[in-house]
Amino acid sequence: MTSVLQDLLKLDVIQHSEIVVKLRPDEPMDDDEFFDFCQKFDNERIEQTADGEIIIMPPTGFETSNRNAEIVTQLRIWAKKDGSGLVTESNGEYVLPNGAKRAPDAAWILKSRVEKISKKRREKFLPLCPDFVVELMSPSDRLKDVQEKMREYVENGAGLGWLINPKEKEVHVYRPNAEIEILKNPQTVSGENMLPGFELDLTEIW
């Protein structure tokens, strides 16, 4: 555990399984400062809300990690065949148009969009919203929090998003300018026009 995290643990900032803190309420960190801040932590996953709150999340348990690996593997196999986009896993962070820094559990983004960003900039967090995002709920997640994050992705440009809830065997499908669709115990879920030909097999997720 880093000394930075040890100092934060002394503060009364723990909410559920996360540490939430505003280090500089009147002057949030810019993109480069936030990237450098994240490098000070060993294993923690760190995000920043649009209003500057830092959220430090612990590593997931084995079951959640295994499920997430399955999702990313299936998505990447399809993406390599399709060839039009790139896939990131839960360590891939994006700077959304509203200023939030988010790391979806899985994401896909068109190569043509990424190629417009300089290689130097791509070495840090990508200043774009993914075209497609997946958030996989872990036992410690609150549904309300993940739902808010999914809405944020769509409001910032994502064309399709899945919130996968293994406990309830549900997939919440998010699309721009549309009501949320909740699929009950589906065996597969389609990538629709965003990911033509991709279907996530949920057998191992459930």
Side-chain angles (χ1 to χ4, degrees):
M1 183 183 295
T2 65
S3 59
V4 176
L5 183 53
Q6 288 173 333
D7 290 342
L8 290 176
L9 286 172
K10 296 174 184 177
L11 303 175
D12 184 21
V13 295
I14 298 178
Q15 298 182 9
H16 311 290
S17 63
E18 303 171 344
I19 296 173
V20 181
V21 62
K22 260 193 175 181
L23 298 181
R24 297 187 324 215
D26 299 325
E27 187 184 355
M29 288 185 282
D30 63 26
D31 296 351
D32 290 331
E33 288 177 318
F34 179 72
F35 180 85
D36 292 340
F37 173 79
C38 291
Q39 308 315 301
K40 299 180 184 294
F41 292 81
D42 297 321
N43 299 309
E44 290 74 24
R45 177 173 157 193
I46 305 173
E47 295 183 336
Q48 185 179 39
T49 66
D51 63 1
E53 284 188 336
I54 304 296
I55 303 172
I56 302 173
M57 295 165 283
T60 62
F62 173 80
E63 291 290 349
T64 299
S65 179
N66 182 57
R67 290 184 180 110
N68 202 64
E70 177 65 24
I71 293 167
V72 173
T73 297
Q74 290 190 41
L75 180 59
R76 185 162 178 79
I77 289 172
W78 170 84
K80 291 187 75 171
K81 292 179 181 178
D82 177 77
S84 65
L86 302 169
V87 174
T88 54
E89 35 72 75
S90 59
N91 287 309
E93 193 126 352
Y94 296 82
V95 182
L96 306 185
N98 70 348
K101 284 82 170 175
R102 298 296 190 182
D105 290 316
W108 177 88
I109 187 168
L110 282 165
K111 283 182 182 179
S112 58
R113 297 180 63 211
V114 175
E115 289 167 353
K116 294 178 181 178
I117 306 299
S118 71
K119 288 187 177 181
K120 183 176 181 180
R121 187 62 195 163
R122 279 183 261 164
E123 292 175 357
K124 297 187 177 183
F125 300 143
L126 193 68
L128 295 171
C129 181
D131 295 288
F132 167 69
V133 295
V134 179
E135 288 289 352
L136 173 68
M137 287 192 65
S138 66
S140 61
D141 285 334
R142 290 199 313 165
L143 179 59
K144 180 181 176 181
D145 293 339
V146 187
Q147 288 173 329
E148 289 177 356
K149 190 183 294 188
M150 294 301 299
R151 284 192 290 268
E152 182 179 55
Y153 288 132
V154 172
E155 289 170 358
N156 279 269
L160 180 66
W162 298 341
L163 188 168
I164 300 177
N165 185 343
K167 182 179 178 181
E168 302 297 333
K169 293 188 177 181
E170 291 181 349
V171 178
H172 298 204
V173 182
Y174 287 74
R175 307 176 183 90
N177 305 312
E179 293 292 324
I180 301 166
E181 181 181 5
I182 300 179
L183 307 177
K184 302 282 189 178
N185 195 22
Q187 297 309 298
T188 63
V189 59
S190 170
E192 304 175 4
N193 294 332
M194 179 60 63
L195 309 172
F198 177 60
E199 283 200 356
L200 178 68
D201 182 352
L202 291 157
T203 304
E204 293 191 40
I205 308 303
W206 301 153

